Coordinates of all heavy atoms in Angstrom, one line a residue:
K1 N 3.8 16.4 5.0 CA 3.4 15.1 4.5 C 4.7 14.4 4.0 O 5.5 14.9 3.3 CB 2.4 15.2 3.4 CG 1.1 15.8 3.9 CD 0.1 15.8 2.8 CE -1.2 16.4 3.3 NZ -2.2 16.4 2.2
T2 N 4.8 13.1 4.5 CA 6.0 12.4 4.1 C 5.7 11.5 2.9 O 6.6 10.9 2.3 CB 6.4 11.5 5.2 OG1 5.4 10.6 5.6 CG2 6.8 12.3 6.4
G3 N 4.4 11.2 2.5 CA 4.1 10.3 1.5 C 4.2 8.9 1.9 O 4.3 8.0 1.0
M4 N 4.3 8.6 3.2 CA 4.4 7.3 3.7 C 3.2 6.8 4.3 O 2.5 7.6 5.0 CB 5.6 7.2 4.7 CG 6.9 7.5 4.0 SD 8.3 7.6 5.2 CE 8.2 5.9 5.9
I5 N 2.9 5.5 4.2 CA 1.9 4.9 5.0 C 2.5 3.7 5.7 O 3.6 3.2 5.4 CB 0.7 4.3 4.1 CG1 1.2 3.3 3.1 CG2 0.0 5.5 3.4 CD1 0.1 2.6 2.4
V6 N 1.9 3.3 6.8 CA 2.5 2.3 7.7 C 1.5 1.1 7.6 O 0.3 1.2 7.7 CB 2.6 2.7 9.1 CG1 3.1 1.6 10.0 CG2 3.5 3.9 9.2
C7 N 2.1 -0.1 7.3 CA 1.3 -1.3 7.2 C 2.0 -2.3 8.2 O 3.2 -2.5 8.2 CB 1.4 -1.9 5.8 SG 0.7 -0.9 4.5
Y8 N 1.1 -3.0 8.9 CA 1.6 -4.0 9.8 C 1.2 -5.4 9.2 O 0.0 -5.6 8.9 CB 1.0 -3.9 11.2 CG 1.4 -2.6 11.9 CD1 0.6 -1.4 11.8 CD2 2.6 -2.5 12.5 CE1 1.1 -0.2 12.4 CE2 3.1 -1.3 13.1 CZ 2.3 -0.2 13.1 OH 2.7 1.0 13.6
L9 N 2.2 -6.2 9.0 CA 2.0 -7.5 8.3 C 2.2 -8.7 9.3 O 3.0 -8.5 10.3 CB 3.0 -7.6 7.2 CG 2.9 -6.5 6.2 CD1 4.1 -6.6 5.2 CD2 1.6 -6.4 5.5
K10 N 1.5 -9.7 9.0 CA 1.7 -10.9 9.9 C 2.8 -11.9 9.4 O 3.4 -12.6 10.1 CB 0.4 -11.7 9.9 CG -0.8 -11.0 10.6 CD -2.0 -11.8 10.5 CE -3.2 -11.0 11.2 NZ -4.4 -11.8 11.2
S11 N 3.1 -11.8 8.1 CA 4.0 -12.7 7.5 C 5.5 -12.3 7.9 O 5.8 -11.2 8.0 CB 3.9 -12.7 6.0 OG 2.7 -13.1 5.6
A12 N 6.3 -13.4 8.0 CA 7.7 -13.1 8.3 C 8.4 -12.7 7.0 O 8.0 -13.1 5.9 CB 8.3 -14.4 8.8
P13 N 9.4 -11.9 7.2 CA 10.1 -11.4 6.0 C 11.1 -12.4 5.4 O 12.3 -12.2 5.3 CB 10.9 -10.2 6.5 CG 11.1 -10.5 7.9 CD 9.9 -11.2 8.4
E14 N 10.6 -13.6 5.1 CA 11.3 -14.7 4.6 C 10.8 -15.2 3.2 O 9.6 -15.3 3.1 CB 11.3 -15.9 5.6 CG 12.0 -15.5 6.9 CD 11.7 -16.6 7.9 OE1 11.1 -17.6 7.6 OE2 12.2 -16.4 9.1
R15 N 11.7 -15.4 2.3 CA 11.3 -15.9 0.9 C 10.2 -15.0 0.3 O 9.3 -15.6 -0.4 CB 10.9 -17.3 1.0 CG 12.0 -18.2 1.4 CD 11.6 -19.7 1.3 NE 10.7 -20.0 2.3 CZ 10.9 -20.7 3.4 NH1 12.1 -21.2 3.6 NH2 10.0 -20.9 4.3
G16 N 10.1 -13.7 0.6 CA 9.2 -12.9 -0.1 C 7.7 -12.9 0.5 O 6.8 -12.3 -0.1
A17 N 7.5 -13.6 1.6 CA 6.2 -13.8 2.1 C 5.6 -12.4 2.6 O 4.4 -12.1 2.3 CB 6.2 -14.7 3.3
A18 N 6.4 -11.6 3.2 CA 5.9 -10.3 3.6 C 5.6 -9.4 2.5 O 4.6 -8.6 2.5 CB 6.9 -9.6 4.6
N19 N 6.4 -9.4 1.4 CA 6.2 -8.6 0.2 C 4.9 -9.0 -0.5 O 4.1 -8.2 -0.9 CB 7.4 -8.7 -0.7 CG 8.6 -8.1 -0.2 OD1 8.6 -7.2 0.6 ND2 9.8 -8.4 -0.8
A20 N 4.7 -10.3 -0.5 CA 3.4 -10.8 -1.1 C 2.2 -10.4 -0.3 O 1.2 -10.0 -0.9 CB 3.5 -12.4 -1.3
E21 N 2.3 -10.4 1.0 CA 1.2 -10.0 1.8 C 1.0 -8.5 1.7 O -0.2 -8.1 1.6 CB 1.5 -10.3 3.3 CG 0.4 -9.9 4.2 CD 0.6 -10.2 5.7 OE1 1.7 -10.8 6.0 OE2 -0.2 -9.7 6.5
L22 N 2.0 -7.7 1.6 CA 1.9 -6.3 1.3 C 1.2 -6.0 0.0 O 0.3 -5.2 0.0 CB 3.2 -5.6 1.4 CG 3.2 -4.1 1.1 CD1 2.5 -3.3 2.2 CD2 4.7 -3.6 1.0
I23 N 1.6 -6.7 -1.0 CA 0.9 -6.5 -2.3 C -0.5 -6.8 -2.3 O -1.4 -6.1 -2.8 CB 1.7 -7.3 -3.4 CG1 3.0 -6.6 -3.7 CG2 0.9 -7.4 -4.7 CD1 4.0 -7.5 -4.6
K24 N -0.9 -7.9 -1.6 CA -2.3 -8.3 -1.5 C -3.1 -7.3 -0.7 O -4.2 -6.9 -1.1 CB -2.3 -9.7 -0.8 CG -3.7 -10.3 -0.7 CD -3.7 -11.7 -0.1 CE -5.1 -12.2 0.1 NZ -5.1 -13.5 0.6
L25 N -2.5 -6.8 0.4 CA -3.1 -5.9 1.3 C -3.4 -4.6 0.5 O -4.5 -4.0 0.6 CB -2.3 -5.6 2.5 CG -2.7 -4.5 3.4 CD1 -3.9 -4.9 4.2 CD2 -1.6 -4.1 4.4
I26 N -2.4 -4.1 -0.2 CA -2.6 -2.8 -0.9 C -3.6 -3.0 -2.1 O -4.5 -2.1 -2.3 CB -1.3 -2.3 -1.4 CG1 -0.5 -1.9 -0.2 CG2 -1.4 -1.1 -2.4 CD1 0.8 -1.1 -0.4
A27 N -3.6 -4.1 -2.8 CA -4.5 -4.3 -3.9 C -5.9 -4.4 -3.3 O -6.8 -3.8 -3.9 CB -4.1 -5.6 -4.6
Q28 N -6.1 -5.1 -2.2 CA -7.5 -5.1 -1.6 C -8.0 -3.8 -1.2 O -9.1 -3.4 -1.4 CB -7.5 -6.1 -0.5 CG -7.4 -7.6 -0.9 CD -7.4 -8.5 0.3 OE1 -7.1 -8.1 1.4 NE2 -7.6 -9.8 0.0
A29 N -7.1 -3.0 -0.5 CA -7.5 -1.7 0.0 C -7.8 -0.7 -1.1 O -8.7 0.1 -1.0 CB -6.3 -1.1 0.8
C30 N -7.2 -0.9 -2.3 CA -7.4 0.0 -3.4 C -8.5 -0.5 -4.4 O -8.9 0.2 -5.3 CB -6.1 0.3 -4.2 SG -4.9 1.2 -3.2
G31 N -8.8 -1.8 -4.2 CA -9.8 -2.3 -5.1 C -9.3 -2.6 -6.5 O -10.0 -2.4 -7.5
V32 N -8.0 -3.0 -6.6 CA -7.4 -3.2 -7.9 C -6.8 -4.7 -7.8 O -6.6 -5.2 -6.8 CB -6.2 -2.2 -8.2 CG1 -6.7 -0.8 -8.2 CG2 -5.1 -2.4 -7.2
P33 N -6.6 -5.2 -9.0 CA -6.0 -6.6 -9.1 C -4.5 -6.5 -8.5 O -3.8 -5.5 -8.6 CB -6.0 -6.9 -10.5 CG -6.8 -5.9 -11.2 CD -6.9 -4.7 -10.3
Q34 N -4.1 -7.7 -8.0 CA -2.7 -7.7 -7.4 C -1.7 -7.5 -8.5 O -0.6 -6.9 -8.2 CB -2.5 -9.1 -6.8 CG -3.2 -9.2 -5.5 CD -2.9 -10.5 -4.8 OE1 -1.8 -11.0 -4.8 NE2 -3.9 -11.1 -4.1
V35 N -2.0 -7.8 -9.7 CA -1.0 -7.6 -10.8 C -0.7 -6.1 -11.1 O 0.3 -5.8 -11.7 CB -1.4 -8.4 -12.1 CG1 -1.4 -9.9 -11.9 CG2 -2.7 -7.9 -12.6
D36 N -1.6 -5.3 -10.6 CA -1.5 -3.8 -10.8 C -0.5 -3.2 -9.7 O -0.1 -2.1 -9.9 CB -2.8 -3.1 -10.7 CG -3.6 -3.2 -12.0 OD1 -3.1 -3.9 -12.9 OD2 -4.7 -2.6 -12.0
V37 N -0.2 -4.0 -8.7 CA 0.6 -3.5 -7.6 C 2.0 -4.1 -7.7 O 2.1 -5.3 -7.8 CB 0.0 -3.8 -6.2 CG1 0.9 -3.3 -5.1 CG2 -1.4 -3.3 -6.1
G38 N 3.0 -3.3 -7.7 CA 4.4 -3.8 -7.8 C 5.4 -3.1 -6.9 O 5.2 -1.9 -6.6
L39 N 6.3 -3.8 -6.4 CA 7.4 -3.2 -5.6 C 8.5 -2.6 -6.6 O 9.0 -3.4 -7.4 CB 8.0 -4.2 -4.7 CG 7.2 -4.7 -3.6 CD1 7.9 -5.8 -2.8 CD2 6.8 -3.6 -2.6
I40 N 8.8 -1.4 -6.5 CA 9.8 -0.7 -7.3 C 11.0 -0.4 -6.5 O 12.0 0.1 -7.1 CB 9.2 0.5 -8.1 CG1 8.7 1.5 -7.1 CG2 8.1 0.0 -9.0 CD1 8.3 2.8 -7.8
G41 N 11.0 -0.6 -5.2 CA 12.2 -0.3 -4.4 C 12.0 -0.9 -3.0 O 10.9 -1.0 -2.5
G42 N 13.1 -1.3 -2.4 CA 13.1 -1.8 -1.1 C 12.7 -3.2 -0.9 O 12.1 -3.6 0.1
L43 N 13.0 -4.0 -1.9 CA 12.6 -5.4 -1.9 C 13.0 -6.1 -0.6 O 12.3 -7.0 -0.1 CB 13.2 -6.1 -3.1 CG 12.6 -7.4 -3.5 CD1 11.1 -7.3 -3.9 CD2 13.3 -8.0 -4.7
T44 N 14.2 -5.8 -0.1 CA 14.7 -6.5 1.1 C 14.7 -5.5 2.3 O 15.2 -5.9 3.4 CB 16.1 -7.1 0.9 OG1 17.0 -6.0 0.6 CG2 16.0 -8.2 -0.1
S45 N 14.2 -4.3 2.2 CA 14.2 -3.3 3.2 C 12.8 -3.2 3.9 O 11.8 -3.7 3.4 CB 14.5 -2.0 2.6 OG 14.3 -0.9 3.5
R46 N 12.8 -2.6 5.1 CA 11.5 -2.4 5.8 C 10.7 -1.3 5.1 O 9.5 -1.3 5.2 CB 11.8 -2.0 7.2 CG 12.3 -3.1 8.1 CD 12.5 -2.7 9.5 NE 11.2 -2.5 10.0 CZ 10.8 -2.9 11.2 NH1 11.7 -3.5 12.0 NH2 9.6 -2.7 11.7
K47 N 11.4 -0.4 4.4 CA 10.8 0.7 3.7 C 10.7 0.3 2.2 O 11.7 -0.1 1.6 CB 11.5 2.0 3.8 CG 11.5 2.5 5.2 CD 12.2 3.9 5.3 CE 12.2 4.4 6.8 NZ 12.8 5.7 6.9
K48 N 9.5 0.3 1.7 CA 9.2 -0.1 0.3 C 8.7 1.1 -0.5 O 8.1 2.0 0.0 CB 8.1 -1.2 0.3 CG 8.2 -2.3 1.3 CD 9.2 -3.3 0.9 CE 9.3 -4.4 1.8 NZ 10.4 -5.3 1.7
R49 N 8.9 0.9 -1.8 CA 8.3 1.9 -2.8 C 7.5 1.0 -3.7 O 7.9 0.0 -4.2 CB 9.4 2.6 -3.6 CG 10.2 3.6 -2.8 CD 11.3 4.3 -3.5 NE 10.6 5.0 -4.7 CZ 11.2 5.1 -5.9 NH1 12.4 4.6 -6.1 NH2 10.6 5.7 -6.8
I50 N 6.2 1.5 -3.8 CA 5.3 0.7 -4.6 C 4.8 1.5 -5.8 O 4.8 2.7 -5.7 CB 4.1 0.2 -3.8 CG1 3.3 1.4 -3.2 CG2 4.5 -0.8 -2.7 CD1 1.9 1.0 -2.7
K51 N 4.3 0.8 -6.8 CA 3.7 1.5 -8.0 C 2.4 0.7 -8.2 O 2.3 -0.5 -8.2 CB 4.6 1.4 -9.2 CG 3.9 1.8 -10.5 CD 3.6 3.3 -10.5 CE 3.0 3.7 -11.8 NZ 2.3 4.9 -11.8
I52 N 1.3 1.5 -8.3 CA 0.0 0.9 -8.6 C -0.4 1.4 -10.0 O -0.6 2.6 -10.2 CB -1.1 1.3 -7.6 CG1 -0.6 1.0 -6.2 CG2 -2.4 0.7 -7.9 CD1 -1.4 1.6 -5.1
A53 N -0.4 0.4 -10.9 CA -0.6 0.7 -12.4 C -1.8 1.6 -12.7 O -1.8 2.4 -13.5 CB -0.6 -0.5 -13.2
S54 N -2.9 1.3 -12.0 CA -4.2 2.0 -12.3 C -4.4 3.2 -11.5 O -5.4 3.9 -11.6 CB -5.3 1.0 -12.1 OG -5.3 0.5 -10.8
I55 N -3.4 3.6 -10.7 CA -3.6 4.9 -9.8 C -2.4 5.8 -10.2 O -1.2 5.4 -10.1 CB -3.6 4.5 -8.3 CG1 -4.8 3.7 -8.0 CG2 -3.6 5.8 -7.5 CD1 -5.0 3.2 -6.6
D56 N -2.7 7.0 -10.6 CA -1.7 7.9 -11.1 C -1.1 8.9 -10.1 O 0.0 9.2 -10.1 CB -2.3 8.8 -12.3 CG -2.7 7.9 -13.4 OD1 -1.9 6.9 -13.7 OD2 -3.7 8.2 -14.1
T57 N -1.9 9.4 -9.1 CA -1.5 10.4 -8.2 C -1.7 10.0 -6.7 O -2.5 9.1 -6.5 CB -2.2 11.7 -8.4 OG1 -3.6 11.5 -8.0 CG2 -2.2 12.2 -9.8
P58 N -0.9 10.6 -5.8 CA -1.1 10.3 -4.4 C -2.5 10.5 -4.0 O -3.1 9.8 -3.1 CB -0.1 11.2 -3.7 CG 1.0 11.4 -4.7 CD 0.3 11.5 -6.0
Q59 N -3.1 11.6 -4.5 CA -4.5 11.9 -4.1 C -5.5 10.8 -4.6 O -6.4 10.5 -3.9 CB -5.0 13.2 -4.8 CG -4.2 14.4 -4.2 CD -2.8 14.6 -4.7 OE1 -2.4 14.1 -5.8 NE2 -2.0 15.4 -4.0
D60 N -5.2 10.2 -5.8 CA -6.1 9.1 -6.2 C -5.9 7.9 -5.3 O -6.9 7.2 -5.0 CB -5.7 8.7 -7.7 CG -6.0 9.7 -8.7 OD1 -6.9 10.6 -8.4 OD2 -5.5 9.7 -9.8
F61 N -4.7 7.7 -4.8 CA -4.4 6.6 -3.9 C -5.2 6.8 -2.6 O -5.9 5.9 -2.1 CB -2.9 6.4 -3.6 CG -2.6 5.5 -2.5 CD1 -2.7 4.1 -2.7 CD2 -2.3 5.9 -1.2 CE1 -2.5 3.2 -1.7 CE2 -2.0 5.0 -0.2 CZ -2.1 3.6 -0.5
L62 N -5.1 8.0 -2.0 CA -5.9 8.3 -0.8 C -7.4 8.1 -1.0 O -8.1 7.6 -0.1 CB -5.5 9.7 -0.3 CG -4.1 9.9 0.1 CD1 -3.8 11.3 0.5 CD2 -3.7 9.0 1.3
Q63 N -7.9 8.5 -2.1 CA -9.3 8.4 -2.4 C -9.6 6.9 -2.5 O -10.7 6.4 -2.0 CB -9.7 9.1 -3.7 CG -11.1 9.0 -4.0 CD -11.5 9.8 -5.2 OE1 -10.6 10.3 -6.0 NE2 -12.8 10.0 -5.4
A64 N -8.8 6.1 -3.1 CA -9.0 4.7 -3.3 C -9.1 3.9 -2.0 O -9.9 3.0 -1.9 CB -7.9 4.1 -4.2
I65 N -8.3 4.3 -1.1 CA -8.3 3.6 0.2 C -9.3 4.2 1.2 O -9.4 3.8 2.3 CB -6.9 3.5 0.9 CG1 -6.3 4.9 1.2 CG2 -6.0 2.7 0.0 CD1 -5.0 4.8 2.0
G66 N -9.9 5.3 0.8 CA -11.0 5.9 1.6 C -10.6 6.9 2.7 O -11.3 7.0 3.7
V67 N -9.5 7.5 2.6 CA -9.0 8.4 3.6 C -9.9 9.6 3.7 O -10.2 10.1 4.8 CB -7.6 8.9 3.3 CG1 -7.2 10.1 4.1 CG2 -6.6 7.8 3.5
D68 N -10.5 10.1 2.6 CA -11.4 11.2 2.6 C -12.6 10.9 3.5 O -13.1 11.7 4.3 CB -11.8 11.6 1.2 CG -10.7 12.3 0.4 OD1 -9.8 12.8 1.0 OD2 -10.8 12.2 -0.8
D69 N -13.2 9.7 3.3 CA -14.3 9.3 4.1 C -14.0 9.2 5.6 O -14.8 9.5 6.4 CB -14.8 7.9 3.6 CG -15.4 8.0 2.2 OD1 -15.8 9.1 1.8 OD2 -15.4 7.0 1.5
Q70 N -12.8 8.7 5.9 CA -12.4 8.6 7.3 C -12.2 10.0 7.9 O -12.6 10.2 9.1 CB -11.1 7.8 7.4 CG -11.2 6.4 7.1 CD -9.9 5.6 7.1 OE1 -8.9 6.1 7.7 NE2 -9.8 4.5 6.4
L71 N -11.7 10.9 7.2 CA -11.5 12.3 7.7 C -12.8 13.0 8.0 O -12.9 13.8 8.9 CB -10.6 13.1 6.8 CG -9.1 12.7 6.6 CD1 -8.4 13.5 5.6 CD2 -8.4 12.8 8.0
K72 N -13.8 12.7 7.3 CA -15.1 13.3 7.5 C -15.7 12.9 8.8 O -16.6 13.5 9.3 CB -16.1 12.9 6.3 CG -15.7 13.5 5.0 CD -16.7 13.0 3.9 CE -16.2 13.6 2.6 NZ -17.0 13.0 1.5
L73 N -15.3 11.7 9.4 CA -15.8 11.3 10.6 C -15.3 12.1 11.8 O -15.9 12.0 12.9 CB -15.4 9.8 10.8 CG -16.0 8.8 9.8 CD1 -15.4 7.4 10.1 CD2 -17.5 8.8 9.9
F74 N -14.2 12.8 11.6 CA -13.6 13.6 12.7 C -13.8 15.0 12.6 O -13.7 15.8 11.9 CB -12.1 13.3 12.8 CG -11.9 11.8 13.1 CD1 -11.5 10.9 12.2 CD2 -12.0 11.3 14.4 CE1 -11.3 9.6 12.4 CE2 -11.8 10.0 14.7 CZ -11.4 9.1 13.7

């Protein structure tokens, strides 16, 4: 496991538009407010590091986005 997820964004990486879209996407997927999601690394890179204030572990993140439910389908 690499601890990475892949997100495809529509916004261009100009003036922070793609970063804002990523924060909104992750917040919606996790069911948390956007203010709980922050970029802690990779502000201008394709690879980002994020912190979600209300989620403590990678397992909690996977549960929040519903990975367990998706795996049950297969």
Side-chain angles (χ1 to χ4, degrees):
K1 295 182 179 182
T2 63
M4 294 176 59
I5 60 169
V6 177
C7 297
Y8 296 96
L9 306 172
K10 294 179 182 180
S11 299
E14 298 171 357
R15 295 185 292 253
N19 290 340
E21 182 183 351
L22 177 65
I23 288 170
K24 182 177 179 179
L25 174 72
I26 292 192
Q28 287 177 343
C30 294
V32 300
Q34 289 184 34
V35 296
D36 282 0
V37 180
L39 291 174
I40 59 172
L43 197 60
T44 59
S45 172
R46 292 183 67 137
K47 293 183 180 181
K48 313 282 185 194
R49 291 181 57 217
I50 60 165
K51 171 68 176 155
I52 305 169
S54 55
I55 296 179
D56 296 323
T57 66
Q59 293 78 18
D60 292 341
F61 172 74
L62 295 175
Q63 184 177 10
I65 63 172
V67 169
D68 291 336
D69 294 334
Q70 292 175 22
L71 291 175
K72 290 176 186 175
L73 297 174
F74 296 101

